[in-house]
């Protein structure tokens, strides 16, 4: 038989699936895949259930139900001072991954160059290649994951169509600084390009860090696509409800791809997310504080064992230096070892790199779990790595 997609055949099973399967086989605590182990707010789930019973349950509008699109516009104005027309400047998708796919397929032509920061989330590169884009990688190295301005400038050319960036960043936990974002904005404008911004962890920020959307920078309003997600904001990852904010012309282009990918998203979930986005500031403060507390519990536990950890200013993820406890193998070998022998699953950070030369001494742990689960994981790791005798 003729071969299938040449693009997708080059990609194996995602590292998340590989490590999750290994965790199940060995009954390990799974701190590899990024999702909470508790469902989101009961009142939001109740709105979804009521909307399901009351209906209608037929196709909602392709762009999204008006209630959610209005709520997205209100949310963006409330948190970022962005003024948009919900009827032309917003779009609802089936998760942030579909939003990314629709954005990239709607904006990229074959041969266009796309600037990507690595380590990068696993779906970015396959979608770029499916769209015919040519990736140009800018590598960020641990432990601080800082942008090298010269490397960033070198990645741009007259063929650059867009830059795809993620802040707060998975898997690094990095929140891009205003200076880094300004440099990025300057280059996007200089090269007449676009920016597609994955901001799904926008409300999971720690300490005195602030999330600043590239959409708010001068000259970027007409060039930037902002993507967010109910899954991360409301701990309802299985709902797969995402939403975009962009200038009307960009939304129109992206919607053309969206209509042929998913077309629409369950109406009851959209209505519940609209309700959730209007929650008081206390909800968003509690989300940030609870996730920060989980981070602190897990980080202090790892450090007691002897691990050095990289800074974590946002997201669900903390990265540990495996060399700091004397492990001399690769990060993949480490993650397989602790999954099968210690009973705790993590993900090797090198799996998020594509270009050569990536360091292989960091493992990513997900801490968006109940505190007792995190403490049990620390106990297992401490017992496994305790000095002999």
């Amino acid at each position: 038989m003729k071969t299938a997609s040449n693009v997708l055949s080059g990609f194996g099973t995602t590292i998340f699936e590989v490590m999750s399967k290994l965790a199940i086989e060995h009954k390990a605590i799974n701190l590899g895949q990024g999702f909470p182990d508790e469902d989101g707010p009961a009142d939001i789930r109740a709105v979804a259930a009521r909307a399901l019973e009351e209906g209608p349950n037929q196709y909602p509008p392709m762009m999204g139900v008006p209630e959610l699109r209005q709520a997205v516009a209100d949310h963006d104005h409330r948190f970022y001072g962005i003024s948009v027309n919900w009827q032309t400047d917003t779009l609802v998708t089936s998760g942030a991954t579909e939003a990314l796919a629709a954005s990239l397929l709607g904006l990229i032509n074959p041969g266009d160059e796309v600037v990507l920061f690595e380590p990068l989330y696993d779906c970015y590169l396959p979608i770029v290649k499916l769209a015919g884009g040519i990736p140009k990688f800018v590598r960020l190295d641990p432990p601080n994951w800082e942008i090298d301005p010269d490397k960033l400038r070198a990645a741009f050319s007259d063929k650059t169509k867009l830059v795809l960036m993620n802040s707060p960043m998975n898997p690094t936990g990095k929140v891009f600084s205003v200076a880094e974002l300004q440099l990025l904005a300057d280059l996007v404008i200089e090269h007449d390009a676009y920016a597609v911004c994955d901001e799904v962890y926008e409300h999971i920020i720690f300490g005195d860090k602030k999330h600043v959307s590239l959409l708010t920078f001068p000259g970027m309003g007409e060039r930037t696509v902002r993507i967010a997600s109910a899954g991360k904001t409301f701990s309802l990852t299985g709902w797969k409800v995402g939403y975009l904010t962009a200038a009307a012309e960009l939304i129109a282009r992206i919607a053309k791809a969206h209509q042929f990918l998913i077309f629409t998203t369950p109406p009851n979930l959209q209505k519940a997310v609209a309700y959730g986005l209007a929650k008081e500031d206390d909800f968003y403060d509690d989300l940030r504080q609870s996730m920060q507390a989980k981070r602190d519990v897990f980080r202090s536990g790892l450090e007691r064992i002897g691990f050095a950890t990289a800074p974590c200013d946002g997201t669900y993820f903390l990265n540990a230096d495996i060399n700091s406890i004397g492990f001399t193998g690769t990060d993949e070998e480490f993650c397989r070892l602790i999954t099968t022998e210690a009973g705790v699953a993590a993900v090797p950070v090198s799996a998020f790199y594509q270009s050569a030369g990536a360091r292989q001494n960091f493992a990513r742990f997900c801490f968006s779990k109940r505190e007792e689960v995190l403490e049990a994981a620390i106990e297992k790791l401490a017992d496994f790595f305790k000095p002999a005798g």
Side-chain angles (χ1 to χ4, degrees), residues 13-27:
T13 304
T14 70
I15 190 64
F16 312 112
E17 182 66 18
V18 170
M19 297 309 301
S20 291
K21 183 179 180 181
L22 200 62
I24 292 170
E25 289 175 358
H26 292 272
K27 297 181 172 57

Side-chain angles (χ1 to χ4, degrees), residues 10-11 56 70 74 80 82 98 114-115 186 189 196 206 254 312 353 362 367 379:
F11 294 92
Q70 290 174 336
D74 291 344
Y80 308 115
I82 301 169
E98 196 249 319
V114 178
V115 177
D186 292 343
I189 294 169
V196 176
F206 308 135
I254 295 165
C312 171
Y353 287 87
F362 276 83
F367 56 77
E379 184 176 345

Side-chain angles (χ1 to χ4, degrees), residues 2-308:
K2 293 180 179 178
T3 59
S5 167
N6 290 331
V7 172
L8 295 179
S9 64
F11 294 92
T13 304
T14 70
I15 190 64
F16 312 112
E17 182 66 18
V18 170
M19 297 309 301
S20 291
K21 183 179 180 181
L22 200 62
I24 292 170
E25 289 175 358
H26 292 272
K27 297 181 172 57
I29 297 173
N30 189 355
L31 302 185
Q33 200 164 3
F35 59 87
D37 58 359
E38 296 178 285
D39 275 339
D43 57 339
I44 297 179
R45 289 184 280 124
V47 171
R50 187 165 61 249
L52 182 66
E53 289 297 324
E54 294 176 354
N57 288 289
Q58 309 310 320
Y59 293 127
M62 185 264 287
M63 301 291 287
V65 300
E67 298 97 314
L68 180 50
R69 297 178 71 201
Q70 290 174 336
V72 169
D74 291 344
H75 167 278
D76 288 0
H77 185 265
R78 171 184 173 187
F79 288 100
Y80 308 115
I82 301 169
S83 296
V84 299
N85 181 341
W86 71 265
Q87 294 178 300
T88 59
D89 302 346
T90 64
L91 172 66
V92 178
T93 59
S94 290
T97 300
E98 196 249 319
L100 287 161
S103 298
L104 297 173
L105 292 170
L107 297 176
I108 295 173
N109 288 313
D112 287 340
E113 294 182 354
V114 178
V115 177
L116 297 163
F117 294 98
E118 55 175 357
L120 73 167
Y121 187 58
D122 69 334
C123 77
Y124 292 176
L125 185 58
I127 300 173
V128 167
K129 289 192 170 184
L130 283 170
I134 299 172
K136 296 294 181 180
F137 296 108
V138 178
R139 195 173 79 220
L140 308 181
D141 292 317
N144 296 318
W145 322 98
E146 294 171 333
I147 291 178
D148 181 323
D150 292 334
K151 290 181 179 178
L152 182 59
R153 291 188 185 97
F156 279 80
S157 75
D158 58 0
K159 295 181 180 179
T160 302
K161 172 59 72 73
L162 61 84
V163 58
L164 173 55
M165 60 93 66
N166 174 210
S167 183
M169 189 184 192
N170 173 17
T172 67
K174 172 186 174 66
V175 176
F176 283 73
S177 70
V178 171
E180 289 173 321
L181 293 172
Q182 185 62 66
L183 174 60
L184 187 57
D186 292 343
L187 288 168
V188 168
I189 294 169
E190 178 184 342
H191 292 275
D192 193 23
Y194 299 106
V196 176
C197 300
D198 178 351
E199 301 181 9
V200 298
Y201 293 100
E202 60 182 332
H203 292 296
I204 304 176
I205 300 270
F206 308 135
D208 59 357
K209 294 291 183 177
K210 302 292 182 184
H211 171 59
V212 181
S213 178
L214 202 61
L215 187 62
T216 63
F217 281 67
M220 293 300 291
E222 62 190 26
R223 300 177 179 275
T224 304
V225 179
R226 195 186 98 79
I227 297 172
S229 165
K232 300 303 189 294
T233 298
F234 302 114
S235 300
L236 294 165
T237 58
W239 281 21
K240 299 298 291 180
V241 179
Y243 25 90
L244 301 87
T245 304
E249 182 181 356
L250 290 178
I251 289 291
R253 295 180 189 179
I254 295 165
K256 288 182 179 180
H258 164 68
Q259 69 181 337
F260 297 123
L261 285 171
I262 301 295
F263 182 71
T264 193
T265 300
N268 66 312
L269 301 183
Q270 292 192 55
K271 292 175 182 177
V273 172
Y275 165 85
L277 285 175
K279 278 183 168 290
E280 298 295 328
D281 289 350
D282 286 350
F283 167 80
Y284 294 95
D285 291 340
D286 288 345
L287 172 66
R288 177 180 54 79
Q289 291 167 8
S290 66
M291 285 297 174
Q292 181 169 322
K294 293 173 187 289
R295 179 205 64 176
D296 292 347
V297 165
F298 195 66
R299 182 172 61 186
S300 62
L302 287 179
E303 291 176 350
R304 286 197 305 273
I305 296 170
F307 285 96

